[in-house]
Amino acid sequence: MKAADQRRARSENGLSENRSDSNNAKHRSDHLHFWVRALFATRRQRERVRWGMLAVSLALCLPLVPWTKATTVLPALSPFVAIGSLLAGAGGTLSLFGAASCVALVCAFRRRFLCRFVCPLGLLQDCAASASFRSLSFRRVSVHRVPRIGHWLVLMTWCGAACGFPLFLWLDPFSLFSALFGGVYRDWLWVVPTVVIAMSLVLPQLWCTKLCPLGATQDMLHWPVTWRRRQTCSKKRSPLRPTPLHDRVAVPRRAAMSSAGFVLAGGLGGLLGSRFRRLSGQESPPPLRPPGAVDEDQFAALCIRCGNCLQACPPKILRPDFAPNRFAGLAAPLVHFDTDYCREDCHACTQVCPSGAIDRLTLEQKLKHPIGLAQIEFNLCLLAYDKECEICERVCPMEAISFAWSEQEYTVIPQLDVDRCNGCGACVVACPGDNKWERKGNPNIPRRKAITINQRN
Amino acid sequence: MTSRLSRREWMQLYGGATIGGLAAGSVSGVARADLASRNDAPAGVQADVTGVQPCSLVNGQVIQPQKVIPSIHNTEVLVVGAGPAGTCAAIAAARGGAKVTIVERYNHFGGLSTGGLVLVILGHWVTGKKQVTQGIGEEIMQRLDKLDRGIVNRRDGVNPTVDAEALKHVTGEMVLEEGIDVFLHSWAAEAIMDDNVVRGIVFQSKSGRQAILADQVIDTTGDGDIFAAAGADHERRKYHIGLPYRIGNLDRVDRSKSNGQRPPRHIGSVTPIPGVNWVNMHGPDADGLDVRELSRLELNHRRQIWKQVEQLRSTPGYEEVYLMETAPQMGVRISRALKGTENLTLDGVKKGQRFVDCVGVGGAWNGDHQEWDIPYGSLLPTKIDNLLTAGRSLSHEPKMSDLIRVIPNCWVSGQAAGAAAAVAVRDNVLAREVSIPKVRELLLEQKAYLG
Ligand SMILES: Cc1cc2nc3c(=O)[nH]c(=O)nc-3n(C[C@H](O)[C@H](O)[C@H](O)COP(=O)(O)OP(=O)(O)OC[C@H]3O[C@@H](n4cnc5c(N)ncnc54)[C@H](O)[C@@H]3O)c2cc1C
Ligand code: SF4
Ligand code: SF4
């Protein structure tokens, strides 16, 4: 009560101040109003909220706010991702699912709540669409007859998740948005979201109404309410109001068809999901993932390719994987030690994963959590050539490398303490020893350093 | 043992004893030379210094008679040991206006970088291919540039290789140009102390045992012989001791016989002399202050080198290669490290720690990290005064050894010590009280880089 009183008093004060300075203030507010209108181009309340959410999303994804976990917020709101990763076995990240369950609850009662008020990708598409029809005079193509692929995608993903691989989790619009703005442009993660936005130049609404898995998820969450409303409608025998786009499930014939379709989609998703890893080619040992990554099978599945970790990594050693022989992990982050190493004072990537693919680790935990294991090939080491080196010992933050005298080789040989090494790659980056002599004769032979990081067995 | 001598007699004998000069390795911890030059000659001292005074064997102990050591020279700055650090220290001090004297045990300047056949200049540049070794070090390299076959691979971001004889010549010329007094073939053995202040040194040479008095002493023996003798706090360390060598006839190697194969071991790297390669050696961790160990290693290493060259010669195409020379000077990397008022740590280097008393900037081996400050405190003993060190014996933690000991960083710390000593002499203050801004100013005048 007290607080409310104070607030009222404060606002009254504000008013009186305004009044005392009314002319000036009016002028200013006119001015402001003009710009706000120009910026929002609409007076409708909902549009304003959407623009506001776009601004907030941008601030979170770029991120403009000084908060390490900012980039997680948007993707963590998606019930599609939350349910998908839960089914795929993400554990230990319950805090992630809290936000999504609240959102899910709202969506159950407010139809397409996220689409209408939050989704920044949707707004960008709307902008693209209106721009294209106004200035580029594209022909508007109706997407009326396109089946609801989104529902299929959702079911396939969830059933796939339960059976091994959440097939289309990466199509979540929030993580696409994150990948578009947060993701590092050179990493190609921007391609899919750009395609999605470009699509609305010619086919407006196609994505939102028919394809978007998050939209479909919201529809599904809303089903109980839709279903009840339909029942009351039929009881009252009220004339059918013109059904809004999203409520066309209400037509009985279509509903029957789609339930058969749903079963089919679920079955197909389950089948594909259980076979996916085998179909996509497994590699052993698996490639190097960020510290704290869950085991490879799950990692490729849980990662939603939002690019948060790539963006968070200060030395930029995480890059998406485009190796053709393992497309289960397509575009999931890989660790590269060609330019820099995993810093001993950083655990940024472990803080920003919205799907539970990377465990939240404290700095101490991260230091003990191995990315891989260093392996030293003495043949390529400068010490085998009597050169002055031992750089690896100096740079290793874990003090895992030492040197032992070998009477037989008559030199000192680098030794690795397997328990200390966490595969951070500092030694790899610094090591000057490589297969230069081999490449002299044949430059096609790839460069190989005396130290490499390999997956631990 | 002492029962036959009275306690007083024994103290007199022992207190006046100077130790055997050649066993410099055993200097530490033994009683210092108590020169009687200032005080009245105590009982038992014979004023006749020309007469022969052999040691005597008393009760199984070798006793050296107390005697007056001729003080043959007075100087303002005395540099003991003329390796990379010592030469730069002497030149910097002389250019700073001081009267400088060098005492060096061998017959040339350059220490390990010439006599030790350590020919690769490692660590003068940092990330971004920026060269941080300037001043006298850079001047030495520029003078080598002008010589025919003085230095190779002098490019940005590359570690050049020098010719040992060219470096001896260049540093010799620079020392002569500055009018520095030089005592070669002179092995420093003792510090002359006045309470906590160093007043000079006693050294052994073909001329016998003699003393030099000085206002400021710089210990650049690499092994800290003088600061140990003066009783300064220090640490003894073991590190790899090796013996580099050079091989010849590399221009007659027929590489077509071994095309595309891994080059043979122990082939070394190019030097400014065509057809001659430098081969480094690591060697085991050993005590560089233990003369038995040094002798054993020396012989082992030579035997191994012969084996390695034979092995090389048995490689197809390499039949003509021969062993040109082994280093005349044993490759002791680290033996003593001063405990200075400031200690360099690797963590500090990695974190880019800066010091207010920065008198030099060290580099990285492969330009793989940032530059780092060399503080004046790392050259300055905690208790002893008017004594500085530089080069591979300055105050550092073991993990820093590889960074502080490389030649360019020795040039830099040596120049800093020389400049500081010159300022101390000029201002007539203790080395501890020297004005850092003045030292930095002098260093900048001498084109040093201070960050
Ligand atoms: C095998 C080996 C390989 C190395 N490789 C490299 C390399 O590739 N690149 C690189 O940059 N660095 C290398 N280093 C390191 C570098 O050569 C030395 O650390 C550096 O030369 C040390 O310089 P300094 O002036 O401190 O000492 P030193 O070079 O040891 O000079 C000390 C001088 O003092 C003299 N002296 C010693 N005791 C006395 C005494 N009691 N009385 C009088 N004079 C005395 C000595 O004769 C010598 O001239 C290597 C070292 C070794 C041993
Ligand atoms: S990868 Fe190399 S630097 Fe990193 S902990 Fe292992 S040994 Fe040390
Ligand atoms: S950094 Fe590489 S070349 Fe140097 S000692 Fe270590 S393994 Fe050998």
Side-chain angles (χ1 to χ4, degrees):
Chain A
M1 279 310 273
K2 223 173 165 192
D5 284 345
Q6 273 172 0
R7 217 179 304 128
R8 199 173 325 124
R10 222 179 293 130
S11 74
E12 273 168 17
N13 272 348
L15 270 180
S16 59
E17 266 165 31
N18 263 355
R19 242 176 258 133
S20 71
D21 202 9
S22 63
N23 252 350
N24 223 337
K26 189 156 187 290
H27 203 79
R28 219 184 302 133
S29 82
D30 273 0
H31 226 77
L32 202 73
H33 202 66
F34 173 78
W35 282 111
V36 168
R37 276 179 60 182
L39 187 68
F40 289 163
T42 170
R43 259 162 291 165
R44 283 168 56 200
Q45 196 66 32
R46 182 155 71 82
E47 296 299 285
R48 281 182 205 171
V49 175
R50 293 184 75 192
W51 280 101
M53 286 315 289
L54 178 66
V56 172
S57 312
L58 273 176
L60 287 170
C61 289
L62 283 175
L64 302 175
V65 285
W67 179 38
T68 40
K69 293 173 188 166
T71 46
T72 7
V73 175
L74 193 64
L77 291 179
S78 159
F80 170 59
V81 169
I83 296 171
S85 44
L86 207 58
L87 286 172
T93 46
L94 270 182
S95 63
L96 284 183
F97 302 112
S101 0
C102 296
V103 173
L105 205 68
V106 177
C107 291
F109 296 100
R110 313 288 298 165
R111 191 175 46 79
R112 289 254 180 169
F113 171 76
L114 291 173
C115 301
R116 290 191 300 154
F117 290 102
V118 181
C119 184
L121 194 71
L123 183 57
L124 290 184
Q125 292 182 63
D126 287 354
C127 292
S130 66
S132 77
F133 297 123
R134 273 197 216 125
S135 52
L136 308 176
S137 61
F138 272 129
R139 224 170 70 82
R140 193 185 284 260
V141 184
S142 165
V143 294
H144 195 76
R145 308 218 138 260
V146 179
R148 284 142 179 265
I149 299 168
H151 289 72
W152 292 48
L153 293 180
V154 171
L155 278 170
M156 284 175 79
T157 304
W158 287 350
C159 294
C163 297
F165 195 91
L167 297 160
F168 300 102
L169 210 54
W170 52 277
L171 268 180
D172 175 73
F174 288 179
S175 41
L176 287 181
F177 182 82
S178 213
L180 180 60
F181 284 100
V184 196
Y185 67 91
R186 71 184 152 94
D187 288 332
W188 299 102
L189 282 187
W190 50 270
V191 170
V192 180
T194 309
V195 167
V196 167
I197 294 173
M199 208 157 66
S200 59
L201 286 174
V202 246
L203 298 166
Q205 294 293 306
L206 174 68
W207 168 264
C208 286
T209 58
K210 307 291 184 181
L211 298 182
C212 177
L214 182 59
T217 305
Q218 294 175 71
D219 286 347
M220 289 162 140
L221 289 167
H222 197 60
W223 270 347
V225 176
T226 326
W227 182 74
R228 251 196 52 205
R229 197 179 290 157
R230 206 171 57 207
Q231 287 219 323
T232 34
C233 282
S234 52
K235 256 186 218 148
K236 285 184 185 165
R237 291 177 185 278
S238 69
L240 266 178
R241 279 175 291 147
T243 3
L245 210 54
H246 314 301
D247 275 359
R248 288 190 184 242
V249 207
V251 181
R253 189 175 55 91
R254 278 175 149 263
M257 238 185 77
S258 50
S259 49
F262 290 165
V263 174
L264 204 68
L268 194 65
L271 195 70
L272 276 177
S274 61
R275 293 292 146 91
F276 197 72
R277 289 211 50 80
R278 201 170 328 141
L279 289 177
S280 74
Q282 261 161 332
E283 205 187 14
S284 83
L288 300 177
R289 299 297 186 194
V294 297
D295 72 54
E296 178 61 19
D297 273 354
Q298 275 213 327
F299 184 78
L302 283 180
C303 169
I304 54 173
R305 279 65 163 174
C306 64
N308 279 357
C309 54
L310 315 183
Q311 187 202 9
C313 176
K316 297 281 172 261
I317 58 167
L318 299 181
R319 260 163 263 160
D321 179 13
F322 292 114
N325 55 344
R326 39 168 195 260
F327 63 80
L330 187 73
L334 274 193
V335 185
H336 294 260
F337 292 122
D338 44 4
T339 55
D340 219 320
Y341 71 99
C342 177
R343 297 291 165 86
E344 61 274 23
D345 56 359
C346 172
H347 59 145
C349 60
T350 70
Q351 300 300 300
V352 295
C353 179
S355 72
I358 304 179
D359 286 338
R360 292 277 157 92
L361 300 178
T362 63
L363 189 56
E364 290 79 63
Q365 285 170 329
K366 189 221 96 169
L367 285 177
K368 294 207 186 82
H369 194 112
I371 296 174
L373 182 65
Q375 205 165 45
I376 305 174
E377 195 176 334
F378 182 62
N379 267 342
L380 303 182
C381 169
L382 293 191
L383 297 179
Y385 290 88
D386 313 303
K387 302 248 166 79
E388 208 73 356
C389 191
E390 310 194 4
I391 288 179
C392 49
E393 178 192 33
R394 196 155 66 237
V395 298
C396 175
M398 306 308 290
E399 299 183 6
I401 298 178
S402 55
F403 291 88
W405 168 253
S406 154
E407 194 69 35
Q408 198 190 338
E409 300 282 349
Y410 219 77
T411 185
V412 286
I413 299 180
Q415 309 282 315
L416 186 80
D417 184 336
V418 182
D419 296 324
R420 279 173 169 253
C421 172
N422 64 11
C424 71
C427 53
V428 178
V429 176
C431 174
D434 65 4
N435 57 345
K436 215 178 283 133
W437 46 272
E438 210 172 44
R439 281 151 42 85
K440 225 174 224 169
N442 184 356
N444 292 334
I445 296 176
R447 181 163 186 224
R448 200 168 82 248
K449 283 203 173 186
I451 316 185
T452 44
I453 305 291
N454 298 312
Q455 192 61 258
R456 283 176 172 250
N457 303 319
Chain B
M1 285 255 203
T2 55
S3 60
R4 293 259 194 99
L5 290 171
S6 77
R7 193 177 133 79
R8 199 183 129 84
E9 272 171 330
W10 190 84
M11 288 291 281
Q12 268 181 5
L13 281 170
Y14 192 70
T18 48
I19 38 159
L22 288 176
S26 56
V27 163
S28 80
V30 183
R32 308 174 203 136
D34 217 358
L35 248 195
S37 61
R38 287 186 319 124
N39 309 325
D40 291 338
V45 172
Q46 292 176 15
D48 176 15
V49 289
T50 49
V52 182
Q53 296 174 316
C55 297
S56 46
L57 195 61
V58 181
N59 217 4
Q61 282 181 314
V62 180
I63 304 295
Q64 190 172 40
Q66 200 174 27
K67 64 176 178 180
V68 174
I69 291 173
S71 167
I72 57 160
H73 187 68
N74 268 299
T75 187
E76 287 174 343
V77 176
L78 175 63
V79 176
V80 188
T87 12
C88 286
I91 294 166
R95 289 182 183 171
K99 180 171 177 266
V100 183
T101 303
I102 289 178
V103 170
E104 160 61 45
R105 67 177 162 173
Y106 292 137
N107 64 356
H108 56 263
F109 303 127
L112 287 174
S113 69
T114 54
L117 279 187
V118 172
L119 305 182
V120 176
I121 308 298
L122 206 62
H124 59 303
W125 51 286
V126 293
T127 31
K129 299 193 177 174
K130 174 176 163 195
Q131 186 179 330
V132 290
T133 306
Q134 300 289 344
I136 298 171
E138 170 62 12
E139 184 184 332
I140 290 174
M141 287 195 278
Q142 280 174 3
R143 288 187 180 220
L144 286 170
D145 286 337
K146 294 205 190 95
L147 297 184
D148 185 19
R149 295 163 203 198
I151 188 166
V152 280
N153 287 339
R154 257 277 268 177
R155 296 190 302 276
D156 272 356
V158 180
N159 298 319
T161 302
V162 299
D163 178 52
E165 292 307 322
L167 185 53
K168 283 181 196 172
H169 170 69
V170 161
T171 41
E173 287 300 303
M174 288 169 80
V175 166
L176 286 177
E177 279 167 26
E178 301 303 332
I180 295 168
D181 272 316
V182 176
F183 290 79
L184 293 177
H185 307 288
S186 303
W187 194 302
E190 303 283 347
I192 304 168
M193 301 299 291
D194 183 354
D195 210 0
N196 265 347
V197 181
V198 180
R199 299 287 307 274
I201 59 132
V202 174
F203 68 98
Q204 184 80 28
S205 72
K206 285 288 175 190
S207 310
R209 214 163 176 80
Q210 294 168 316
I212 294 177
L213 297 179
D215 296 341
Q216 298 288 334
V217 176
I218 301 178
D219 178 356
T220 41
T221 59
D223 297 321
D225 287 358
I226 302 305
F227 67 63
D233 281 347
H234 65 270
E235 247 178 51
R236 275 179 76 151
R237 293 188 190 148
K238 288 185 174 184
Y239 205 45
H240 320 322
I241 298 183
L243 192 67
Y245 57 102
R246 290 198 282 185
I247 49 178
N249 266 352
L250 270 301
D251 43 355
R252 300 220 203 150
V253 166
D254 182 358
R255 278 173 224 282
S256 63
K257 287 193 189 167
S258 59
N259 234 351
Q261 275 175 26
R262 184 171 175 250
R265 299 270 306 268
H266 316 303
I267 183 74
S269 55
V270 292
T271 70
I273 314 290
V276 172
N277 267 16
W278 172 63
V279 192
N280 188 22
M281 185 200 280
H282 281 270
D285 283 350
D287 184 357
L289 303 172
D290 179 345
V291 73
R292 298 281 250 168
E293 186 111 306
L294 289 176
S295 310
R296 182 181 63 81
L297 280 177
E298 189 90 49
L299 293 174
N300 266 0
H301 285 349
R302 268 175 225 288
R303 181 194 279 158
Q304 174 68 18
I305 289 170
W306 196 260
K307 217 162 88 187
Q308 289 177 357
V309 175
E310 275 183 345
Q311 202 181 322
L312 187 59
R313 257 203 296 258
S314 67
T315 316
Y318 291 79
E319 295 86 355
E320 297 287 306
V321 174
Y322 71 101
L323 176 61
M324 213 176 122
E325 67 171 333
T326 54
Q329 191 169 332
M330 190 63 155
V332 178
R333 287 177 173 83
I334 296 285
S335 52
R336 285 197 192 95
L338 180 75
K339 273 200 182 140
T341 57
E342 227 133 23
N343 200 36
L344 279 167
T345 61
L346 186 60
D347 217 36
V349 168
K350 285 185 181 170
K351 292 195 174 124
Q353 182 183 10
R354 310 242 68 152
F355 293 93
V356 275
D357 59 344
C358 162
V359 285
V361 170
W365 280 29
N366 284 300
D368 47 0
H369 57 79
Q370 298 289 320
E371 59 192 49
W372 46 279
D373 282 0
I374 300 173
Y376 184 57
S378 66
L379 315 177
L380 191 70
T382 43
K383 289 199 290 281
I384 307 298
D385 240 309
N386 283 3
L387 177 68
L388 293 173
T389 193
R392 60 186 166 93
S393 56
L394 57 73
S395 181
H396 69 282
E397 65 165 1
K399 278 191 271 178
M400 268 301 278
S401 290
D402 285 339
L403 285 184
I404 62 116
R405 71 185 178 85
V406 280
I407 296 163
N409 296 342
C410 289
W411 283 335
V412 168
S413 61
Q415 185 175 359
V423 172
V425 167
R426 201 196 292 157
D427 293 356
N428 199 13
V429 292
L430 294 177
R432 188 175 310 286
E433 291 159 359
V434 90
S435 147
I436 299 294
K438 281 190 190 167
V439 176
R440 286 174 59 98
E441 193 184 324
L442 178 58
L443 284 169
L444 290 175
E445 249 169 55
Q446 297 182 357
K447 299 203 181 115
Y449 170 73
L450 296 179

